[in-house]
Amino acid sequence: MSEVRLSVEPRTEFGKGAARRTRRAGKIPAVLYGHGSDPRHFALPAIEFARVVRENGSNAVITLDLEGTSELALTKTIVVHPLKNYIEHVDLLVVKRGEKVTVDIPVVVSGTPGPGGLVNQDVDTLQIEVEALHIPEQVEVSIEGAEVGTQILAGQIELPKGATLVTDPESLVVAVNEPQREEGGDEAEAGESEESAEAAE
């Protein structure tokens, strides 16, 4: 994951009105906390931050340039407006180089299972502990040619070097099942035909 820098501005106004003004100015209200320091409120440049998340994922690590000082921060929470799809607010966590953090990373399933196999993904993310500057964007699980009955547990997924699994290793992530047939389909149709005939009489 590439390290990126963003210049941010301190925020002195708070509340919904102030947040709206910040967003109208092309910025995102944000809070930085952690390592025993008081929360710091500032505004992120909206377009640049959106690009960082697009290129580095939701666990982006950013060097914040704030009033002449630099701070390394992990993107912790991104609040998106449910209807208009713009970023409303961001929480960031202070991190130090070499420090390990706990993050959720997406699980991406690739490949095509064997004949007659239906893929069910039970878990979309895995929680791992990893060094802040080496957070993977995702982990990939291949089910190429997997037979019906194949189950892949969290503990069986290969993680990047230096990463430790926090999710229960027994958690079922992906299963290749036999497609379910609708039980009693023909009988139900026959029953409906008889009822229709009786109603017609």
Side-chain angles (χ1 to χ4, degrees), residues 98-110:
E99 176 184 7
K100 288 201 167 186
V101 292
T102 300
V103 292
D104 292 328
I105 53 171
V107 176
V108 176
V109 177
S110 66

Side-chain angles (χ1 to χ4, degrees), residues 133-180:
L133 292 180
H134 294 92
I135 299 172
E137 285 188 43
Q138 61 189 40
V139 288
E140 189 172 305
V141 179
S142 174
I143 46 89
E144 184 64 42
E147 297 177 356
V148 169
T150 299
Q151 293 189 333
I152 299 174
L153 307 179
Q156 296 173 305
I157 296 174
E158 186 177 349
L159 298 177
K161 188 178 178 182
T164 306
L165 184 68
V166 177
T167 297
D168 182 352
E170 295 299 314
S171 294
L172 177 63
V173 178
V174 183
V176 180
N177 299 325
E178 194 174 346
Q180 289 185 339

Side-chain angles (χ1 to χ4, degrees), residues 186-197:
D186 295 339
E187 292 172 14
E189 284 176 17
E192 285 173 13
S193 300
E194 285 175 18
E195 285 176 16
S196 299

Side-chain angles (χ1 to χ4, degrees), residues 17-198:
R20 275 197 296 269
R21 284 192 292 278
T22 299
R23 287 191 287 267
R24 272 202 301 270
K27 297 178 171 58
I28 304 167
V31 178
L32 177 68
Y33 62 93
H35 279 277
S37 59
D38 292 332
R40 280 170 281 175
H41 301 262
F42 54 89
L44 288 165
I47 294 173
E48 288 88 337
F49 179 74
R51 185 173 64 244
V52 168
V53 173
R54 197 165 53 245
E55 293 176 356
N56 296 275
S58 57
N59 292 312
V61 174
I62 306 165
T63 300
L64 302 172
D65 290 329
L66 177 63
E67 296 183 308
T69 64
S70 292
E71 194 79 76
L72 199 61
L74 167 69
T75 306
K76 199 65 181 168
T77 309
I78 300 173
V79 180
V80 178
H81 191 282
L83 299 177
K84 298 180 181 177
N85 205 33
Y86 63 80
I87 298 174
E88 289 190 298
H89 188 271
V90 176
D91 285 343
L92 296 123
L93 184 66
V94 176
V95 291
K96 304 296 182 188
R97 294 179 187 279
E99 176 184 7
K100 288 201 167 186
V101 292
T102 300
V103 292
D104 292 328
I105 53 171
V107 176
V108 176
V109 177
S110 66
T112 306
L118 184 68
V119 179
N120 284 342
Q121 184 172 353
D122 284 22
V123 173
D124 294 325
T125 61
L126 287 183
Q127 194 170 68
I128 64 169
E129 187 182 56
V130 65
E131 196 175 318
L133 292 180
H134 294 92
I135 299 172
E137 285 188 43
Q138 61 189 40
V139 288
E140 189 172 305
V141 179
S142 174
I143 46 89
E144 184 64 42
E147 297 177 356
V148 169
T150 299
Q151 293 189 333
I152 299 174
L153 307 179
Q156 296 173 305
I157 296 174
E158 186 177 349
L159 298 177
K161 188 178 178 182
T164 306
L165 184 68
V166 177
T167 297
D168 182 352
E170 295 299 314
S171 294
L172 177 63
V173 178
V174 183
V176 180
N177 299 325
E178 194 174 346
Q180 289 185 339
R181 298 194 184 103
E182 291 186 19
E183 293 182 12
D186 295 339
E187 292 172 14
E189 284 176 17
E192 285 173 13
S193 300
E194 285 175 18
E195 285 176 16
S196 299
E198 286 172 11

